[in-house]
Amino acid sequence: MSSKLQSTVPKAKDHQPSAEESLPAPKANAEAIHFLSTLEQEELQMLLFSETLAMVSDTGEPQGELTIEVQRRQNKDEFGVMSHCLFVQAFSRG
């Protein structure tokens, strides 16, 4: 008696990038780059946070929540050059 096992995990070559993965990285304009370059390390540190806010109706009934998180990350461009950036993620439920 023989048995055959098949993997349900797709192979790397079968992976199709999602719409989010295939989007080009956003580009900052010169004014934004200049502003960020003038900030001190302590000021940048104050930009990093994680917060969850509860959404309620006028009668106080829970309606959901909104979570926003800002983290320091590194990004590698198409040439392999690493740069520091801020990663902003927002999620709502409800």
Side-chain angles (χ1 to χ4, degrees), residues 53 55 63-68 89-94:
L53 306 171
M55 294 181 281
Q63 299 293 307
E65 60 187 34
L66 170 68
T67 300
I68 300 175
Q89 188 172 20
F91 175 76
S92 65
R93 182 178 57 161

Side-chain angles (χ1 to χ4, degrees):
M1 183 164 147
S2 68
S3 63
K4 186 175 179 182
L5 297 176
Q6 280 190 318
S7 173
T8 59
V9 177
K11 295 177 181 155
K13 68 179 183 179
D14 296 336
H15 175 72
Q16 296 295 320
S18 70
E20 195 171 287
E21 289 175 321
S22 62
L23 292 175
K27 303 284 184 196
N29 64 33
E31 185 179 357
I33 292 171
H34 173 71
F35 170 75
L36 291 174
S37 69
T38 64
L39 295 175
E40 297 292 326
Q41 190 68 25
E42 296 81 23
E43 293 172 306
L44 284 173
Q45 193 65 32
M46 290 189 297
L47 297 174
L48 308 177
F49 71 95
S50 179
E51 186 71 45
T52 299
L53 306 171
M55 294 181 281
V56 295
S57 68
D58 292 338
T59 61
E61 292 285 322
Q63 299 293 307
E65 60 187 34
L66 170 68
T67 300
I68 300 175
E69 189 169 11
V70 181
Q71 301 172 338
R72 174 173 278 182
R73 292 279 178 99
Q74 291 185 338
N75 183 48
K76 186 186 295 187
D77 68 12
E78 64 270 12
F79 303 109
V81 176
M82 296 294 288
S83 61
H84 295 281
C85 63
L86 295 177
F87 180 70
V88 180
Q89 188 172 20
F91 175 76
S92 65
R93 182 178 57 161

